[in-house]
Amino acid sequence: MNFSYGVIGIVGVLAAITIGFIAMDPTGIIEPRIVAEEKPVACTMQWDPMCGVDGVTYGNMCMLNAADKKLDYSGECVTDSKSNMKPCTKDYRPVCGVDGKTYGNMCTLESSGISFDYEGECIVVQPKVEPKVEPKVEPKVEPKVEPKVEPKVEPKVEPLPMTAIVSVPAGSAVPGCDDTNECYLPYETNVAKGATVSWINDDSAAHTVTSGLPGTPDGVFDSSLFMAGAVYEFTFDDAGTYDYYCMVHPWMTGIVNVN
């Protein structure tokens, strides 16, 4: 019996609570809070710098807005420890500072921390320099010195030799010695009238010593073919210039001057 009364009591309490909720204002019921999800903003990487009021440079306007910052001015933020001034334009409106220098405009003057003097380019007044007058110097008159007449010295004429030796050098049988006039050594020989010139064949090939130009012998002298180690001699009784060559190797030429 007691158990039945307990069950009836519990049911009565639950019914009372239910009736109380039904009697309440429906608007007063606490509903669950709905939080709106913020969507991320996708900005491009284009570099178009903007300076925010927080002094931070943002890559472009999108990034500035995404950071929820207000724009201060376009361009990178300029940090000036002295004045924190905004960047100046390139507009040329010259002003002169108290330091005597011309600045492009008032902004560049103020950003330099120099006080304003007057508008326009600075006028530099050059101090008037009086010309320096050099003292007149009278020319020093040097005493006239008569030139010393040196006694005329007749040049000493060395007598020409009565003998001379000409070598037919090794390798002269091959073209090339004519480029340096070394097919006969020496190429040009100077002797006195009546002198005897000796040609020695120091080459391994046979040669000739023939007067005249290559291909046109004049018959004054001709050694004919003489072998290695042989010597040919000729005495010049008449003054003049004698050209000679080798009939076997016509590029070999030489000269004998007789005075």
Side-chain angles (χ1 to χ4, degrees):
M1 181 65 71
N2 291 333
F3 176 75
S4 300
Y5 288 137
V7 171
I8 294 171
I10 293 171
V11 171
V13 172
L14 291 175
I17 293 173
T18 303
I19 293 171
F21 275 115
I22 294 172
M24 291 178 62
D25 185 2
T27 59
I29 299 175
I30 300 174
E31 295 181 357
R33 183 181 179 185
I34 300 174
V35 179
E37 181 180 356
E38 295 183 358
K39 296 182 179 180
V41 179
C43 296
T44 66
M45 297 303 291
Q46 179 182 358
W47 179 248
D48 186 13
M50 300 290 170
C51 183
V53 294
D54 57 351
V56 177
T57 299
Y58 295 88
N60 50 48
M61 184 62 76
C62 176
M63 294 181 180
L64 178 71
N65 294 333
D68 196 20
K69 300 295 180 182
K70 292 184 179 180
L71 174 68
D72 191 1
Y73 55 89
S74 299
E76 297 184 23
C77 295
V78 178
T79 303
D80 190 339
S81 59
K82 294 182 179 179
S83 60
N84 290 325
M85 297 184 67
K86 296 181 181 180
C88 299
T89 66
K90 294 184 179 180
D91 184 24
Y92 188 68
R93 294 183 179 180
V95 291
C96 184
V98 294
D99 57 351
K101 294 182 180 180
T102 300
Y103 295 84
N105 50 46
M106 185 63 74
C107 177
T108 57
L109 175 70
E110 293 174 350
S111 64
S112 299
I114 304 299
S115 299
F116 172 74
D117 193 359
Y118 55 86
E119 292 186 356
E121 298 183 3
C122 296
I123 300 174
V124 180
V125 179
Q126 297 292 341
K128 186 177 180 180
V129 179
E130 295 293 336
K132 185 177 180 181
V133 180
E134 297 290 341
K136 186 177 181 180
V137 179
E138 295 294 335
K140 185 177 180 180
V141 179
E142 297 289 340
K144 187 177 181 180
V145 179
E146 295 294 334
K148 185 178 180 181
V149 179
E150 297 289 341
K152 186 176 181 181
V153 178
E154 295 293 335
K156 185 178 180 181
V157 179
E158 295 290 339
L160 292 172
M162 296 302 296
T163 59
I165 297 175
V166 178
S167 170
V168 181
S172 57
V174 179
C177 60
D178 51 321
D179 294 336
T180 54
N181 290 330
E182 294 180 340
C183 296
Y184 293 101
L185 295 177
Y187 168 74
E188 188 170 359
T189 305
N190 297 306
V191 294
K193 183 179 178 180
T196 299
V197 179
S198 301
W199 284 267
I200 302 175
N201 187 356
D202 293 321
D203 194 15
S204 59
H207 295 279
T208 72
V209 178
T210 305
S211 61
L213 297 174
T216 57
D218 58 16
V220 175
F221 57 88
D222 182 19
S223 66
S224 69
L225 201 64
F226 69 116
M227 307 305 289
V231 179
Y232 169 70
E233 295 181 346
F234 182 79
T235 300
F236 293 88
D237 296 324
D238 299 319
T241 298
Y242 297 88
D243 294 297
Y244 64 92
Y245 67 100
C246 176
M247 296 185 69
V248 182
H249 312 102
W251 57 85
M252 299 173 58
T253 59
I255 299 174
V256 176
N257 294 314
V258 180
N259 295 306

mmCIF file with all atom_site columns, all heavy atoms in Angstrom, residues 135-149:
data_model
loop_
_atom_site.group_PDB
_atom_site.id
_atom_site.type_symbol
_atom_site.label_atom_id
_atom_site.label_alt_id
_atom_site.label_comp_id
_atom_site.label_asym_id
_atom_site.label_entity_id
_atom_site.label_seq_id
_atom_site.pdbx_PDB_ins_code
_atom_site.Cartn_x
_atom_site.Cartn_y
_atom_site.Cartn_z
_atom_site.occupancy
_atom_site.B_iso_or_equiv
_atom_site.pdbx_formal_charge
_atom_site.auth_seq_id
_atom_site.auth_comp_id
_atom_site.auth_asym_id
_atom_site.auth_atom_id
_atom_site.pdbx_PDB_model_num
ATOM 1   N N   . PRO A 1 135 ? 103.584 92.238 -59.283 1.00 0.00 ? 135 PRO A N   1
ATOM 2   C CA  . PRO A 1 135 ? 104.559 93.334 -59.468 1.00 0.00 ? 135 PRO A CA  1
ATOM 3   C C   . PRO A 1 135 ? 105.294 93.180 -60.797 1.00 0.00 ? 135 PRO A C   1
ATOM 4   O O   . PRO A 1 135 ? 105.602 92.074 -61.228 1.00 0.00 ? 135 PRO A O   1
ATOM 5   C CB  . PRO A 1 135 ? 105.511 93.141 -58.274 1.00 0.00 ? 135 PRO A CB  1
ATOM 6   C CG  . PRO A 1 135 ? 105.357 91.707 -57.885 1.00 0.00 ? 135 PRO A CG  1
ATOM 7   C CD  . PRO A 1 135 ? 103.937 91.357 -58.171 1.00 0.00 ? 135 PRO A CD  1
ATOM 8   N N   . LYS A 1 136 ? 105.492 94.290 -61.429 1.00 0.00 ? 136 LYS A N   1
ATOM 9   C CA  . LYS A 1 136 ? 106.165 94.277 -62.725 1.00 0.00 ? 136 LYS A CA  1
ATOM 10  C C   . LYS A 1 136 ? 107.636 93.966 -62.526 1.00 0.00 ? 136 LYS A C   1
ATOM 11  O O   . LYS A 1 136 ? 108.333 94.617 -61.733 1.00 0.00 ? 136 LYS A O   1
ATOM 12  C CB  . LYS A 1 136 ? 105.991 95.621 -63.423 1.00 0.00 ? 136 LYS A CB  1
ATOM 13  C CG  . LYS A 1 136 ? 106.534 95.632 -64.843 1.00 0.00 ? 136 LYS A CG  1
ATOM 14  C CD  . LYS A 1 136 ? 106.262 96.974 -65.514 1.00 0.00 ? 136 LYS A CD  1
ATOM 15  C CE  . LYS A 1 136 ? 106.791 96.973 -66.946 1.00 0.00 ? 136 LYS A CE  1
ATOM 16  N NZ  . LYS A 1 136 ? 106.543 98.279 -67.620 1.00 0.00 ? 136 LYS A NZ  1
ATOM 17  N N   . VAL A 1 137 ? 108.066 92.932 -63.198 1.00 0.00 ? 137 VAL A N   1
ATOM 18  C CA  . VAL A 1 137 ? 109.469 92.513 -63.087 1.00 0.00 ? 137 VAL A CA  1
ATOM 19  C C   . VAL A 1 137 ? 110.180 92.903 -64.364 1.00 0.00 ? 137 VAL A C   1
ATOM 20  O O   . VAL A 1 137 ? 109.776 92.499 -65.471 1.00 0.00 ? 137 VAL A O   1
ATOM 21  C CB  . VAL A 1 137 ? 109.576 90.991 -62.842 1.00 0.00 ? 137 VAL A CB  1
ATOM 22  C CG1 . VAL A 1 137 ? 111.044 90.576 -62.753 1.00 0.00 ? 137 VAL A CG1 1
ATOM 23  C CG2 . VAL A 1 137 ? 108.820 90.606 -61.583 1.00 0.00 ? 137 VAL A CG2 1
ATOM 24  N N   . GLU A 1 138 ? 111.178 93.714 -64.198 1.00 0.00 ? 138 GLU A N   1
ATOM 25  C CA  . GLU A 1 138 ? 111.964 94.114 -65.365 1.00 0.00 ? 138 GLU A CA  1
ATOM 26  C C   . GLU A 1 138 ? 112.783 92.931 -65.852 1.00 0.00 ? 138 GLU A C   1
ATOM 27  O O   . GLU A 1 138 ? 113.359 92.185 -65.044 1.00 0.00 ? 138 GLU A O   1
ATOM 28  C CB  . GLU A 1 138 ? 112.901 95.273 -65.009 1.00 0.00 ? 138 GLU A CB  1
ATOM 29  C CG  . GLU A 1 138 ? 112.187 96.567 -64.633 1.00 0.00 ? 138 GLU A CG  1
ATOM 30  C CD  . GLU A 1 138 ? 111.446 97.146 -65.819 1.00 0.00 ? 138 GLU A CD  1
ATOM 31  O OE1 . GLU A 1 138 ? 111.844 96.858 -66.973 1.00 0.00 ? 138 GLU A OE1 1
ATOM 32  O OE2 . GLU A 1 138 ? 110.466 97.880 -65.595 1.00 0.00 ? 138 GLU A OE2 1
ATOM 33  N N   . PRO A 1 139 ? 112.749 92.702 -67.154 1.00 0.00 ? 139 PRO A N   1
ATOM 34  C CA  . PRO A 1 139 ? 113.533 91.569 -67.671 1.00 0.00 ? 139 PRO A CA  1
ATOM 35  C C   . PRO A 1 139 ? 115.019 91.755 -67.416 1.00 0.00 ? 139 PRO A C   1
ATOM 36  O O   . PRO A 1 139 ? 115.563 92.856 -67.552 1.00 0.00 ? 139 PRO A O   1
ATOM 37  C CB  . PRO A 1 139 ? 113.204 91.583 -69.175 1.00 0.00 ? 139 PRO A CB  1
ATOM 38  C CG  . PRO A 1 139 ? 112.793 92.995 -69.465 1.00 0.00 ? 139 PRO A CG  1
ATOM 39  C CD  . PRO A 1 139 ? 112.110 93.497 -68.235 1.00 0.00 ? 139 PRO A CD  1
ATOM 40  N N   . LYS A 1 140 ? 115.623 90.674 -66.980 1.00 0.00 ? 140 LYS A N   1
ATOM 41  C CA  . LYS A 1 140 ? 117.055 90.713 -66.720 1.00 0.00 ? 140 LYS A CA  1
ATOM 42  C C   . LYS A 1 140 ? 117.808 90.638 -68.032 1.00 0.00 ? 140 LYS A C   1
ATOM 43  O O   . LYS A 1 140 ? 117.567 89.759 -68.852 1.00 0.00 ? 140 LYS A O   1
ATOM 44  C CB  . LYS A 1 140 ? 117.442 89.534 -65.832 1.00 0.00 ? 140 LYS A CB  1
ATOM 45  C CG  . LYS A 1 140 ? 118.899 89.557 -65.395 1.00 0.00 ? 140 LYS A CG  1
ATOM 46  C CD  . LYS A 1 140 ? 119.188 88.383 -64.462 1.00 0.00 ? 140 LYS A CD  1
ATOM 47  C CE  . LYS A 1 140 ? 120.658 88.402 -64.028 1.00 0.00 ? 140 LYS A CE  1
ATOM 48  N NZ  . LYS A 1 140 ? 120.967 87.262 -63.124 1.00 0.00 ? 140 LYS A NZ  1
ATOM 49  N N   . VAL A 1 141 ? 118.662 91.640 -68.209 1.00 0.00 ? 141 VAL A N   1
ATOM 50  C CA  . VAL A 1 141 ? 119.431 91.709 -69.453 1.00 0.00 ? 141 VAL A CA  1
ATOM 51  C C   . VAL A 1 141 ? 120.726 90.927 -69.254 1.00 0.00 ? 141 VAL A C   1
ATOM 52  O O   . VAL A 1 141 ? 121.562 91.277 -68.416 1.00 0.00 ? 141 VAL A O   1
ATOM 53  C CB  . VAL A 1 141 ? 119.738 93.171 -69.840 1.00 0.00 ? 141 VAL A CB  1
ATOM 54  C CG1 . VAL A 1 141 ? 120.553 93.210 -71.132 1.00 0.00 ? 141 VAL A CG1 1
ATOM 55  C CG2 . VAL A 1 141 ? 118.440 93.955 -69.992 1.00 0.00 ? 141 VAL A CG2 1
ATOM 56  N N   . GLU A 1 142 ? 120.810 89.853 -69.991 1.00 0.00 ? 142 GLU A N   1
ATOM 57  C CA  . GLU A 1 142 ? 122.025 89.048 -69.909 1.00 0.00 ? 142 GLU A CA  1
ATOM 58  C C   . GLU A 1 142 ? 123.103 89.675 -70.782 1.00 0.00 ? 142 GLU A C   1
ATOM 59  O O   . GLU A 1 142 ? 122.830 90.212 -71.866 1.00 0.00 ? 142 GLU A O   1
ATOM 60  C CB  . GLU A 1 142 ? 121.743 87.616 -70.389 1.00 0.00 ? 142 GLU A CB  1
ATOM 61  C CG  . GLU A 1 142 ? 120.736 86.856 -69.544 1.00 0.00 ? 142 GLU A CG  1
ATOM 62  C CD  . GLU A 1 142 ? 121.303 86.495 -68.186 1.00 0.00 ? 142 GLU A CD  1
ATOM 63  O OE1 . GLU A 1 142 ? 122.555 86.497 -68.039 1.00 0.00 ? 142 GLU A OE1 1
ATOM 64  O OE2 . GLU A 1 142 ? 120.489 86.214 -67.276 1.00 0.00 ? 142 GLU A OE2 1
ATOM 65  N N   . PRO A 1 143 ? 124.310 89.645 -70.303 1.00 0.00 ? 143 PRO A N   1
ATOM 66  C CA  . PRO A 1 143 ? 125.400 90.196 -71.138 1.00 0.00 ? 143 PRO A CA  1
ATOM 67  C C   . PRO A 1 143 ? 125.558 89.377 -72.412 1.00 0.00 ? 143 PRO A C   1
ATOM 68  O O   . PRO A 1 143 ? 125.411 88.162 -72.407 1.00 0.00 ? 143 PRO A O   1
ATOM 69  C CB  . PRO A 1 143 ? 126.630 90.067 -70.225 1.00 0.00 ? 143 PRO A CB  1
ATOM 70  C CG  . PRO A 1 143 ? 126.271 88.992 -69.243 1.00 0.00 ? 143 PRO A CG  1
ATOM 71  C CD  . PRO A 1 143 ? 124.800 89.110 -69.022 1.00 0.00 ? 143 PRO A CD  1
ATOM 72  N N   . LYS A 1 144 ? 125.783 90.080 -73.462 1.00 0.00 ? 144 LYS A N   1
ATOM 73  C CA  . LYS A 1 144 ? 125.927 89.429 -74.753 1.00 0.00 ? 144 LYS A CA  1
ATOM 74  C C   . LYS A 1 144 ? 127.238 88.656 -74.793 1.00 0.00 ? 144 LYS A C   1
ATOM 75  O O   . LYS A 1 144 ? 128.306 89.203 -74.523 1.00 0.00 ? 144 LYS A O   1
ATOM 76  C CB  . LYS A 1 144 ? 125.865 90.457 -75.876 1.00 0.00 ? 144 LYS A CB  1
ATOM 77  C CG  . LYS A 1 144 ? 125.838 89.843 -77.253 1.00 0.00 ? 144 LYS A CG  1
ATOM 78  C CD  . LYS A 1 144 ? 125.703 90.914 -78.334 1.00 0.00 ? 144 LYS A CD  1
ATOM 79  C CE  . LYS A 1 144 ? 125.654 90.297 -79.720 1.00 0.00 ? 144 LYS A CE  1
ATOM 80  N NZ  . LYS A 1 144 ? 125.520 91.334 -80.780 1.00 0.00 ? 144 LYS A NZ  1
ATOM 81  N N   . VAL A 1 145 ? 127.127 87.403 -75.069 1.00 0.00 ? 145 VAL A N   1
ATOM 82  C CA  . VAL A 1 145 ? 128.315 86.544 -75.135 1.00 0.00 ? 145 VAL A CA  1
ATOM 83  C C   . VAL A 1 145 ? 128.564 86.200 -76.587 1.00 0.00 ? 145 VAL A C   1
ATOM 84  O O   . VAL A 1 145 ? 127.676 85.670 -77.273 1.00 0.00 ? 145 VAL A O   1
ATOM 85  C CB  . VAL A 1 145 ? 128.124 85.261 -74.299 1.00 0.00 ? 145 VAL A CB  1
ATOM 86  C CG1 . VAL A 1 145 ? 129.354 84.370 -74.406 1.00 0.00 ? 145 VAL A CG1 1
ATOM 87  C CG2 . VAL A 1 145 ? 127.803 85.605 -72.857 1.00 0.00 ? 145 VAL A CG2 1
ATOM 88  N N   . GLU A 1 146 ? 129.709 86.543 -77.024 1.00 0.00 ? 146 GLU A N   1
ATOM 89  C CA  . GLU A 1 146 ? 130.066 86.213 -78.391 1.00 0.00 ? 146 GLU A CA  1
ATOM 90  C C   . GLU A 1 146 ? 130.252 84.703 -78.514 1.00 0.00 ? 146 GLU A C   1
ATOM 91  O O   . GLU A 1 146 ? 130.867 84.076 -77.648 1.00 0.00 ? 146 GLU A O   1
ATOM 92  C CB  . GLU A 1 146 ? 131.363 86.922 -78.786 1.00 0.00 ? 146 GLU A CB  1
ATOM 93  C CG  . GLU A 1 146 ? 131.261 88.443 -78.828 1.00 0.00 ? 146 GLU A CG  1
ATOM 94  C CD  . GLU A 1 146 ? 130.320 88.903 -79.927 1.00 0.00 ? 146 GLU A CD  1
ATOM 95  O OE1 . GLU A 1 146 ? 130.149 88.158 -80.912 1.00 0.00 ? 146 GLU A OE1 1
ATOM 96  O OE2 . GLU A 1 146 ? 129.732 90.005 -79.783 1.00 0.00 ? 146 GLU A OE2 1
ATOM 97  N N   . PRO A 1 147 ? 129.666 84.149 -79.537 1.00 0.00 ? 147 PRO A N   1
ATOM 98  C CA  . PRO A 1 147 ? 129.816 82.694 -79.698 1.00 0.00 ? 147 PRO A CA  1
ATOM 99  C C   . PRO A 1 147 ? 131.266 82.305 -79.920 1.00 0.00 ? 147 PRO A C   1
ATOM 100 O O   . PRO A 1 147 ? 132.015 82.980 -80.635 1.00 0.00 ? 147 PRO A O   1
ATOM 101 C CB  . PRO A 1 147 ? 128.962 82.391 -80.938 1.00 0.00 ? 147 PRO A CB  1
ATOM 102 C CG  . PRO A 1 147 ? 128.913 83.686 -81.691 1.00 0.00 ? 147 PRO A CG  1
ATOM 103 C CD  . PRO A 1 147 ? 128.933 84.774 -80.666 1.00 0.00 ? 147 PRO A CD  1
ATOM 104 N N   . LYS A 1 148 ? 131.616 81.252 -79.261 1.00 0.00 ? 148 LYS A N   1
ATOM 105 C CA  . LYS A 1 148 ? 132.982 80.752 -79.400 1.00 0.00 ? 148 LYS A CA  1
ATOM 106 C C   . LYS A 1 148 ? 133.103 79.978 -80.694 1.00 0.00 ? 148 LYS A C   1
ATOM 107 O O   . LYS A 1 148 ? 132.317 79.080 -80.971 1.00 0.00 ? 148 LYS A O   1
ATOM 108 C CB  . LYS A 1 148 ? 133.320 79.858 -78.209 1.00 0.00 ? 148 LYS A CB  1
ATOM 109 C CG  . LYS A 1 148 ? 134.753 79.383 -78.196 1.00 0.00 ? 148 LYS A CG  1
ATOM 110 C CD  . LYS A 1 148 ? 135.019 78.544 -76.956 1.00 0.00 ? 148 LYS A CD  1
ATOM 111 C CE  . LYS A 1 148 ? 136.462 78.042 -76.924 1.00 0.00 ? 148 LYS A CE  1
ATOM 112 N NZ  . LYS A 1 148 ? 136.736 77.204 -75.731 1.00 0.00 ? 148 LYS A NZ  1
ATOM 113 N N   . VAL A 1 149 ? 134.051 80.411 -81.447 1.00 0.00 ? 149 VAL A N   1
ATOM 114 C CA  . VAL A 1 149 ? 134.241 79.762 -82.743 1.00 0.00 ? 149 VAL A CA  1
ATOM 115 C C   . VAL A 1 149 ? 135.205 78.597 -82.555 1.00 0.00 ? 149 VAL A C   1
ATOM 116 O O   . VAL A 1 149 ? 136.368 78.789 -82.182 1.00 0.00 ? 149 VAL A O   1
ATOM 117 C CB  . VAL A 1 149 ? 134.788 80.751 -83.785 1.00 0.00 ? 149 VAL A CB  1
ATOM 118 C CG1 . VAL A 1 149 ? 135.002 80.047 -85.122 1.00 0.00 ? 149 VAL A CG1 1
ATOM 119 C CG2 . VAL A 1 149 ? 133.852 81.937 -83.936 1.00 0.00 ? 149 VAL A CG2 1
#
